[in-house]
Short mmCIF file of all heavy atoms in Angstrom, two decimals:
data_model
loop_
_atom_site.label_atom_id
_atom_site.label_comp_id
_atom_site.label_asym_id
_atom_site.label_seq_id
_atom_site.Cartn_x
_atom_site.Cartn_y
_atom_site.Cartn_z
N TYR A 55 32.82 53.46 43.04
CA TYR A 55 31.67 52.85 42.40
C TYR A 55 30.78 53.94 41.81
O TYR A 55 30.61 54.99 42.40
CB TYR A 55 30.88 52.03 43.44
CG TYR A 55 31.73 50.91 44.00
CD1 TYR A 55 32.68 51.17 44.99
CD2 TYR A 55 31.62 49.62 43.52
CE1 TYR A 55 33.48 50.17 45.48
CE2 TYR A 55 32.42 48.61 44.02
CZ TYR A 55 33.35 48.89 45.00
OH TYR A 55 34.15 47.90 45.48
N PHE A 57 27.03 54.88 39.88
CA PHE A 57 25.64 54.44 39.84
C PHE A 57 24.83 55.35 38.94
O PHE A 57 25.16 56.51 38.74
CB PHE A 57 25.01 54.52 41.24
CG PHE A 57 25.76 53.80 42.32
CD1 PHE A 57 26.89 54.35 42.90
CD2 PHE A 57 25.32 52.56 42.76
CE1 PHE A 57 27.59 53.68 43.90
CE2 PHE A 57 26.00 51.89 43.78
CZ PHE A 57 27.12 52.46 44.33
N GLN A 61 14.56 58.83 38.69
CA GLN A 61 13.52 59.37 39.56
C GLN A 61 12.34 59.78 38.69
O GLN A 61 12.32 60.85 38.09
CB GLN A 61 14.03 60.57 40.36
CG GLN A 61 13.03 61.06 41.41
CD GLN A 61 13.58 62.19 42.26
OE1 GLN A 61 14.24 63.09 41.76
NE2 GLN A 61 13.32 62.13 43.56
N ARG A 72 25.14 49.73 38.81
CA ARG A 72 26.34 50.01 39.60
C ARG A 72 27.53 49.49 38.83
O ARG A 72 27.47 48.41 38.24
CB ARG A 72 26.26 49.33 40.95
CG ARG A 72 27.57 49.23 41.71
CD ARG A 72 27.37 48.36 42.92
NE ARG A 72 28.57 48.21 43.73
CZ ARG A 72 29.35 47.13 43.69
NH1 ARG A 72 29.08 46.14 42.88
NH2 ARG A 72 30.41 47.06 44.47
N SER A 117 30.41 56.59 44.72
CA SER A 117 30.70 56.16 46.08
C SER A 117 32.14 55.67 46.13
O SER A 117 32.58 54.95 45.24
CB SER A 117 29.75 55.02 46.47
OG SER A 117 30.13 54.44 47.68
N PRO A 120 35.10 54.59 52.24
CA PRO A 120 35.30 55.63 53.26
C PRO A 120 36.56 55.38 54.07
O PRO A 120 37.01 54.25 54.21
CB PRO A 120 34.05 55.50 54.13
CG PRO A 120 33.66 54.07 54.00
CD PRO A 120 34.01 53.68 52.58
N ALA A 125 29.95 52.19 56.45
CA ALA A 125 28.96 52.45 55.41
C ALA A 125 29.14 53.86 54.90
O ALA A 125 29.29 54.79 55.66
CB ALA A 125 27.56 52.26 55.98
N ASP A 126 29.10 54.01 53.61
CA ASP A 126 29.41 55.31 53.03
C ASP A 126 28.20 55.90 52.35
O ASP A 126 27.21 55.24 52.12
CB ASP A 126 30.52 55.14 52.00
CG ASP A 126 30.10 54.19 50.92
OD1 ASP A 126 29.66 53.08 51.27
OD2 ASP A 126 30.16 54.54 49.75
N LEU A 128 26.48 58.11 49.06
CA LEU A 128 26.61 58.39 47.65
C LEU A 128 26.68 59.89 47.44
O LEU A 128 25.97 60.65 48.09
CB LEU A 128 25.41 57.84 46.87
CG LEU A 128 25.21 56.33 46.85
CD1 LEU A 128 23.95 55.98 46.07
CD2 LEU A 128 26.40 55.63 46.26
N TYR B 52 22.69 47.99 56.54
CA TYR B 52 23.14 49.37 56.43
C TYR B 52 21.94 50.25 56.14
O TYR B 52 21.14 49.93 55.26
CB TYR B 52 24.19 49.52 55.32
CG TYR B 52 25.49 48.81 55.61
CD1 TYR B 52 25.60 47.43 55.45
CD2 TYR B 52 26.59 49.52 56.05
CE1 TYR B 52 26.78 46.78 55.73
CE2 TYR B 52 27.79 48.88 56.32
CZ TYR B 52 27.88 47.52 56.16
OH TYR B 52 29.06 46.87 56.43
N TYR B 56 18.87 60.33 53.14
CA TYR B 56 19.25 61.33 52.15
C TYR B 56 18.13 62.36 52.12
O TYR B 56 17.00 62.09 52.52
CB TYR B 56 19.36 60.71 50.75
CG TYR B 56 20.58 59.85 50.53
CD1 TYR B 56 20.64 58.54 51.01
CD2 TYR B 56 21.67 60.33 49.83
CE1 TYR B 56 21.76 57.75 50.81
CE2 TYR B 56 22.80 59.54 49.61
CZ TYR B 56 22.83 58.26 50.10
OH TYR B 56 23.94 57.48 49.89
N GLN B 58 16.40 65.64 49.55
CA GLN B 58 16.37 66.31 48.24
C GLN B 58 15.50 67.55 48.37
O GLN B 58 14.27 67.44 48.48
CB GLN B 58 15.83 65.37 47.16
CG GLN B 58 15.86 65.98 45.77
CD GLN B 58 15.27 65.05 44.73
OE1 GLN B 58 14.38 64.24 45.01
NE2 GLN B 58 15.77 65.14 43.51
N SER B 69 24.80 57.68 57.39
CA SER B 69 24.70 56.22 57.26
C SER B 69 24.83 55.60 58.64
O SER B 69 25.45 56.17 59.54
CB SER B 69 25.76 55.67 56.31
OG SER B 69 27.06 56.04 56.75
N SER B 76 27.77 55.62 60.99
CA SER B 76 28.98 55.24 60.30
C SER B 76 29.65 56.45 59.66
O SER B 76 30.85 56.65 59.78
CB SER B 76 28.66 54.18 59.26
OG SER B 76 29.80 53.76 58.59
N GLU B 77 28.84 57.20 58.95
CA GLU B 77 29.34 58.44 58.37
C GLU B 77 28.21 59.46 58.36
O GLU B 77 27.04 59.09 58.32
CB GLU B 77 29.82 58.23 56.93
CG GLU B 77 31.13 57.52 56.84
CD GLU B 77 31.88 57.83 55.56
OE1 GLU B 77 31.89 58.99 55.12
OE2 GLU B 77 32.46 56.90 55.00
N THR B 120 27.59 50.40 50.42
CA THR B 120 27.58 50.63 48.97
C THR B 120 28.89 50.25 48.31
O THR B 120 28.91 49.89 47.15
CB THR B 120 27.27 52.10 48.65
OG1 THR B 120 28.17 52.94 49.37
CG2 THR B 120 25.85 52.45 49.03
N VAL B 121 29.98 50.29 49.04
CA VAL B 121 31.24 49.91 48.39
C VAL B 121 31.31 48.40 48.17
O VAL B 121 32.11 47.92 47.40
CB VAL B 121 32.47 50.34 49.21
CG1 VAL B 121 32.60 51.84 49.20
CG2 VAL B 121 32.42 49.81 50.62
N GLY B 124 26.64 47.85 46.46
CA GLY B 124 26.25 48.89 45.53
C GLY B 124 24.81 49.26 45.51
O GLY B 124 24.47 50.42 45.34
#
Side-chain angles (χ1 to χ4, degrees):
Chain A
Y55 299 79
F57 306 79
Q61 187 176 42
R72 164 188 180 259
S117 171
D126 59 308
L128 296 178
Chain B
Y52 293 79
Y56 287 78
Q58 183 182 30
S69 57
S76 181
E77 285 205 41
T120 53
V121 291

